[in-house]
Amino acid sequence: MTTHADAPAGNRNAGRASKGRWFAQVGWRHVVGVLAVAFSLFPILFVLSAALNPLGTLSSTELLPTGASVENFTNLFDKTAFGYWFLNSLLIAGASSFVSILLSALAAYAFSRMRFAGRRIGLLALLLIQMFPQFLAIVAIFLIFTTVTDLWPSLGFNTPWGLFLLYMGGALGVNTWLMKGFFDTLPRELDESATVDGASHAQVFFRIMLPLVAPILAVTALLSFIGTINEFMIANVFLTDTESKTLAVGMWGLVAGERNNNFGMFAAGTLLTAIPTVVVFQLLQRYIVSGLTAGAVKG
Amino acid sequence: MSTSLSGPGPATRTPGREPVGSGLPRASQGARNLAPITAAGLLVKVVLLGLVAGIAVWAAFPLVEAEQWTGLAILAVTTAGLFYLYLTRRHVPAKYLVPGTLFLIAFQVFPVLYTASTAFTNFGDGHRGSKDDAIVAIQSSSVKQVPGSTEYSLSIATKGDPATGPLVFLLSDPKTNQVSAGDADGLRSLDAGDVTVAPGGKVTAADGYTVLNFGQASVRSKEITDLVVPTSGGAIRSNGLSRAYEGKAVRAYDAGCDCVTDSETGKTWTADGATGSFVAADGERLAQGWRVNVGLKNFSRVLTDPNIAGPFFGTLLWNFAFALGSTGLTFVLGMAIALALHSPRMRGTNLYRVLLILPYAMPSFAMLLVWRDMFNTDFGLVNNLFGLGVDWFGETWSARAAVLLVQLWLGYPYMFLVTTGALQAIPRELTESTSVDGASPWQSFRAVTLPLLLVALSPLLIASFAYNFNNINAIWLTTAGGPFPADNPRNGATDLLITYTYRLAFGAQGAEYGTAAAVSIFIFAIVATVSAISFRRTRKQEEVYS
């Protein structure tokens, strides 16, 4: 951050002097902003250019679009099971982010508002268990689900519900901590007065607390949605049938072998994958900034 | 779960803030001391418990059929426990904690414990099952064709995907025309009505199976050659892709001496319980062993075996550098930009923010792969744009710089977002008063803004460190751990412990689940220690500043 504050000292031209001051106070901020935006956008521009590139290969793609063709998009739907992957990902990520925020909101409410034996240990245990990445237990998970596939095929390998259950194992954890921090910031008088008025604990939770914690619900739901969409390693072990794959597994397959030739299709898929997240992101933007930090301050 | 409206009683509004987001009118309760059981609450409870009962019954049938009594007992106890918990009016905290905890135990705690117990065994390729399994495998793999043995027509089939599903032999006996399906578990006969047999005896279709065509089968010929179907007299093996024979086992197990004897050469291999394998007098081991407890051997191997310990400590060092680097660089850049845009005179900040956080909203798995291709030596964007010819992923330090740059791009929008939020929480009067006192912007940043930011953000920084420490996607999808030294294809320059573990467990060199599990426990211990220390320091800091 260099400040270009050295406006020519002996300059008699008042207009230029004020321009110099403007630059020292505001202008350089725009320079930083523009540079940052350029850094943020150039890989995305490259993806856009690749997606529109009629040749569809990596070696023929340049930073700026050289053509405009929707061929890559139509190929993506005609030649691959992209439609299935998209639906699978939306289903799994949508269901698991919804259920996981519900489960962790329930737990966060108990941790924040109730005092019971094992509360401290429970909170610490949550933090500790989460530090053992689920992926490291993949061998054990594989063996468990081999049995599950034999007994209940509809929850086994290659099913969205099996993967959903697996992701639910991590539903309590960081989200619970984040939400507990937010619950703690709400004044206790609110639910105490409701209890005095005769509300049950369930009514306090669903009618009073949940609406008030909307920002943190939005944040954790979005974070868990993004996390699930991007989860690759476990899904890669879990889903092997073409039509049961998620976006991450399916699109990895597109470029794992023939990275050059399928690059256009891959880029088109990347843009389509981003759409749901970007839409939700822009809708929830104001919640995200306040929610993330409010939860963190009291973490 | 929606809030169903209910509740008779006078309308006394709870004082306090209005609900945010939800437009539902808040029903109010009568001023009674004991919370009443409302009709709607009861209904929800009945429906949910009914659902639990339904799922339990549905899950019980396969358990009964498979005679899994332990599983059935666990299911029954869990269901009964849930019913007790939600029908009593006591144990209120448990009502909120149990749903998530059940998932946590089943899919997180149990696998972790299982992994921990694996760390004390020799589980891996060649040591997968029990001793009996190993004996069956030894006997059936020694099967040789003898004169007069039965010949079958063979079709290769699978129940899953033709390219990856488990293989099944569809065998038809030319003498009896009986068709059977065989896999590593043995032979089952199929009903004549369920199969289509072509003239000549080859099975062309069977209910529930996908028959592989010649092309699909020849791709998997190695697996087909390796598949042995045990039978009472010996085993069935393939002979090419369309014939199979039933042969006799040359090697046989003798329980008397606890050894395996080769009837052709007369050599014997005696069982060794300590290593879980059959060992001959000259030290030769049979490839098929079984799982035994090896105590702390895996742990001591990780620390002392030069083949593992050297890479382990090198990787550990880089792992710390990577986690600190990704967290630190993203934080510094994100914070710098947030500070630059944080000015009351700044216009257009919303537009900047929308554009800046786009990388965060892009699917990271895909963007990692895109970055991998942008660093491509021959036609990658980075080399093209700057007219370079750098082999980015071919050299140790350029590969490390590249993955850190990718992490920076992916991670700084998040840091920018959270810093922006935290900055808004710092009262502007604080920094204004320092400038009145004559402090330079840098001094006021050092003395006021940064400490306050760190108090607010250090839990997130610790979480980010813990996440990046095991950020398997970041490495696996870009460099896949490479570049590898010529003499060690198991451990590359950008490998994190977790990718190293992944390669140990699933790599082409043969699976070593036991060692991989031991490394997992080391990783866990390291991350837990680092986080515990930093959380403790954070708490101290918070007491000082707030």
Side-chain angles (χ1 to χ4, degrees), chain B residues 152-183:
Chain B
Y152 296 94
S153 283
L154 170 70
S155 295
I156 318 287
T158 179
K159 283 194 164 178
D161 190 75
T164 52
L167 292 175
V168 179
F169 283 172
L170 296 180
L171 303 155
S172 87
D173 188 332
K175 286 175 201 145
T176 60
N177 289 328
Q178 169 64 45
V179 176
S180 330
D183 55 23

Side-chain angles (χ1 to χ4, degrees), chain B residues 494-512:
Chain B
T494 54
D495 252 337
L496 300 183
L497 287 174
I498 195 164
T499 55
Y500 176 56
T501 315
Y502 182 72
R503 204 173 294 110
L504 272 182
F506 298 101
Q509 313 267 322
E512 292 185 52

Side-chain angles (χ1 to χ4, degrees), chain B residues 246-266:
Chain B
E246 180 171 5
K248 292 247 177 304
V250 176
R251 289 178 187 168
Y253 175 72
D254 182 353
C257 64
D258 198 12
C259 63
V260 171
T261 314
D262 192 308
S263 61
E264 280 183 347
T265 61

